[in-house]
Amino acid sequence: MKVFVTGGAGYIGSVTTRRLLDAGHSVVVFDSLERGHRAAVDARARLVAGDLRNAAAIRDALAAARPDAVVHFAAFAYVGESMENPGLYFANNVGGGINLAEAMRLAGVKKLVFSSSCATYGHPERVPIDEKVPQRPINPYGESKLQCEGVFRWYERIYGLQPVFLRYFNACGADARFGEDHRPETHLIPLVLDVALGRRPQITIFGEDYATPDGTCIRDYIHVLDLAQAHVLALEKSVSGPFNLGNGDGYSVREVIAAAREVTRHAIPAVTAPRRPGDPDRLVAASAQAREVLGWKPEFPVLSDILQSAWAWKCQHPQGYGE
Ligand code: NAD
Ligand code: UDP
């Protein structure tokens, strides 16, 4: 298959591009490089530098590439930033999504795998979260992902688009070549590992008064390689609709820090601070649908293995991609 990957210079996109190439597919990456890295694009893929907000740029790139399918990672993905600048999120994530849908319609490309998020569920009505839990986002980032799902659903009804919504829980870990280098970094695991590397003095725990056994937030940490594999399966199967992707295990912030201490053999000092606005107590996936319909089974469900892979990448790339 010839696959067109938007956002392929980013964290999950770079790992998925490599996995697609290894599976025998050819890949064109479309990325503005605004939040990604040229060095994160596998040399076997062709990189087209362009911005989804430019309707002509995505239309022309897609028409020229004539792919069999699109995997759509490109987006801004910081919850905090979306609360400060919602317009940026709607313009980039929703506007870019509409431009992509139109470009696909014009190029006659039907198959779409879209990076959605557990952030679309907001404070979930029940946990573990299956795909029937009502989506009620609590920040513009989550809302932008939900609106994209809506746009793609209407293109499904009207034009026969075949959209798959992969709703990731907390992506983490690395493969041997590509890892996580967000700037600024806001995610717990890379920040914890930066402390172990001596790049930060301590980790701050945001809130210890949540309704969880140790008072810190619980999340479902899923290896980026397992996410990448779900994209390969979604492309190879004739399916559409939503799939939650997580391990079904929840770990608290304190448990993650404790596991990172074991893996890195570093004390990782931690201090506590007030809650970060908009954090639900507990987000854990029910991924039965992905297992049954896609045949997906996480290969790396153990938190210490995930941390080990992220730590190995960090040790080899202490400055990230160094740009
Ligand atoms: P990332 O920031 O590392 O990668 C996103 C890439 O998209 C970057 O390379 C950036 O330059 C590119 N991009 C952004 N806007 C663009 C535009 N208008 N035109 C062209 N390129 C553009 O993000 P990530 O962590 O790899 O996440 C990938 C996707 O998965 C995002 O859509 C994100 O919302 C979603 N997601 C991520 C997580 C997570 O835990 N990281 C969880 C749920 C969902
Ligand atoms: N977190 C924290 N300190 C940090 C970064 C994150 O305590 O420096 C917490 C955060 O409040 C959340 C969990 O770690 O409960 C996971 O946060 P992350 O930003 O990694 O992912 P999110 O769940 O927001 O997608």
Side-chain angles (χ1 to χ4, degrees):
M1 231 184 265
K2 186 170 191 182
V3 187
F4 189 91
V5 178
T6 77
Y11 168 45
I12 309 171
S14 64
V15 175
T16 303
T17 292
R18 183 172 183 217
R19 184 50 77 106
L20 285 167
L21 291 161
D22 287 348
H25 303 295
S26 68
V27 176
V28 175
V29 166
F30 181 89
D31 198 299
S32 63
L33 299 175
E34 190 178 338
R35 299 197 175 181
H37 312 274
R38 197 174 283 273
V41 180
D42 193 299
R44 295 169 291 172
R46 189 162 69 81
L47 171 64
V48 178
D51 195 316
L52 276 172
R53 284 167 290 188
N54 178 343
I58 180 63
R59 190 187 61 218
D60 294 348
L62 206 62
R66 296 161 50 88
D68 302 300
V70 172
V71 182
H72 178 37
F73 294 102
F76 293 157
Y78 295 131
V79 168
E81 183 183 53
S82 81
M83 295 290 282
E84 284 159 18
N85 195 350
L88 180 72
Y89 275 68
F90 293 118
N92 194 49
N93 297 1
V94 185
I98 295 169
N99 288 342
L100 176 66
E102 273 298 289
M104 290 181 70
R105 177 180 73 77
L106 290 168
V109 183
K110 299 288 186 205
K111 182 88 191 189
L112 171 68
V113 180
F114 170 57
S115 301
S116 190
S117 170
C118 62
T120 60
Y121 294 109
H123 293 293
E125 204 173 83
R126 56 179 186 277
V127 180
I129 304 167
D130 60 58
E131 292 80 1
K132 293 200 171 62
V133 167
Q135 291 172 289
R136 297 190 192 112
I138 52 168
N139 50 61
Y141 165 66
E143 177 68 32
S144 74
K145 290 282 162 183
L146 181 58
Q147 289 190 8
C148 280
E149 288 193 10
V151 169
F152 299 142
R153 276 211 174 91
W154 281 107
Y155 273 68
E156 178 176 22
R157 278 175 67 170
I158 298 169
Y159 300 118
L161 187 75
Q162 291 157 21
V164 175
F165 308 134
L166 298 183
R167 297 182 188 147
Y168 317 150
F169 282 62
N170 288 58
C172 46
D175 84 353
R177 285 180 49 203
F178 302 120
E180 187 166 11
D181 181 9
H182 292 119
R183 301 182 190 189
E185 190 55 77
T186 60
H187 293 117
L188 177 65
I189 288 179
L191 289 175
V192 165
L193 298 181
D194 274 345
V195 179
L197 268 183
R199 290 170 58 82
R200 288 173 195 268
Q202 62 199 22
I203 185 74
T204 303
I205 298 173
F206 296 137
E208 48 178 358
D209 56 349
Y210 286 95
T212 61
D214 70 13
T216 65
C217 284
I218 290 178
R219 295 287 178 274
D220 188 333
Y221 294 91
I222 179 77
H223 200 299
V224 67
L225 275 171
D226 286 323
L227 292 180
Q229 180 59 12
H231 293 76
V232 177
L233 293 168
L235 284 170
E236 290 174 349
K237 290 210 156 56
S238 179
V239 290
S240 64
F243 298 95
N244 288 349
L245 299 179
N247 282 309
D249 298 320
Y251 292 96
S252 73
V253 174
R254 284 198 188 283
E255 286 172 330
V256 170
I257 296 170
R261 287 182 179 131
E262 294 269 317
V263 165
T264 63
R265 298 177 191 281
H266 187 285
I268 309 183
V271 295
T272 49
R275 293 179 174 207
R276 191 174 68 173
D279 273 339
D281 302 50
R282 194 162 169 258
L283 294 174
V284 177
S287 295
Q289 197 151 297
R291 289 167 193 265
E292 283 157 23
V293 179
L294 298 179
W296 180 71
K297 184 170 183 290
E299 254 186 273
F300 309 100
V302 179
L303 180 64
S304 59
D305 295 342
I306 296 176
L307 287 166
Q308 185 60 56
S309 74
W311 179 233
W313 194 82
K314 276 261 179 208
C315 290
Q316 280 167 9
H317 306 82
Q319 316 283 343
Y321 288 103
E323 288 154 18

